[in-house]
Amino acid sequence: MRDFVERFISKEALVGYQRTKEGNGRFNYTPWVPMYVKPHPFAIPNPIPIVVLADYGSVSMAEMTTMALKSQEMVKFVGDYTHGGTAALGPGDELNGGALNITVANRLKFYMPLMATKDASGKVIEGIGVEPDVYVAPPTQEERQDMKVNANHKDRAMEKAVEELMKM
């Protein structure tokens, strides 16, 4: 995320906060630690207008990238809430419960998040997602079908992103 984002930003900024799992208990997490981004030595010298398009299908590093870019003054996030899955799930180890076998022909794996994330304003995003600056509802079933067959389909999110970019 940093390799990409830090080339498009012009000032150091708070992205959010993370805490990591440090024991077997349900609430055994470290204190919240701030996450910052800072411009790469070869980053753009001045802020440029950027619009980030994301939605519920944007998970994990896509959400972290969205949060990092949103830390800059000339960036807007257009679309729907992201997925809310930045918690880094791990396989069976001493800090996340491992696997639980169910005796009815199926196997259920149990995972516990290895970390939790809050945005720069302090809102927890796990299971909620990053909030867009400009909300655009997901495409309807009819719009999705039209996208498949109509080369001239107008994407509402893309059109809103261009509109927001023109305002900046």
Side-chain angles (χ1 to χ4, degrees):
M1 182 261 306
R2 290 184 190 282
D3 288 340
F4 174 75
V5 169
E6 291 183 347
R7 292 180 184 266
F8 289 94
I9 64 173
S10 57
K11 68 174 187 169
E12 184 172 339
L14 175 69
V15 171
Y17 304 88
Q18 281 188 326
R19 63 183 184 176
T20 56
K21 193 80 171 126
E22 67 176 356
N24 287 326
R26 182 175 171 197
F27 300 107
N28 290 127
Y29 285 91
T30 62
W32 291 103
V33 176
M35 302 180 303
Y36 290 93
V37 287
K38 60 183 178 184
H40 185 276
F42 301 118
I44 58 169
N46 299 305
I48 60 171
I50 297 174
V51 174
V52 176
L53 284 168
D55 61 14
Y56 188 74
S58 304
V59 184
S60 193
M61 197 53 63
E63 292 175 290
M64 301 302 288
T65 300
T66 299
M67 289 173 49
L69 286 169
K70 274 185 63 160
S71 72
Q72 303 297 298
E73 61 189 67
M74 296 289 287
V75 176
K76 280 203 174 175
F77 165 25
V78 173
D80 192 7
Y81 279 79
T82 62
H83 191 81
T86 63
L89 300 176
D93 68 19
E94 71 278 1
L95 297 182
N96 73 17
L100 170 66
N101 287 316
I102 303 294
T103 56
V104 268
N106 292 327
R107 180 180 166 124
L108 170 71
K109 286 190 177 181
F110 173 78
Y111 293 101
M112 183 175 289
L114 299 176
M115 70 176 74
T117 306
K118 292 197 272 189
D119 67 15
S121 71
K123 293 181 193 171
V124 173
I125 66 165
E126 296 308 319
I128 299 166
V130 179
E131 181 178 6
D133 297 313
V134 179
Y135 176 78
V136 177
T140 64
Q141 188 66 18
E142 293 79 23
E143 287 173 315
R144 284 195 291 273
Q145 188 60 35
D146 188 51
M147 285 180 213
K148 293 177 184 177
V149 298
N150 182 359
N152 296 318
H153 174 80
K154 301 285 186 196
D155 183 313
R156 289 183 291 109
M158 181 62 80
E159 289 193 342
K160 190 63 173 176
V162 170
E163 178 185 318
E164 291 298 318
L165 202 51
M166 298 303 286
K167 292 180 192 176
M168 299 169 89

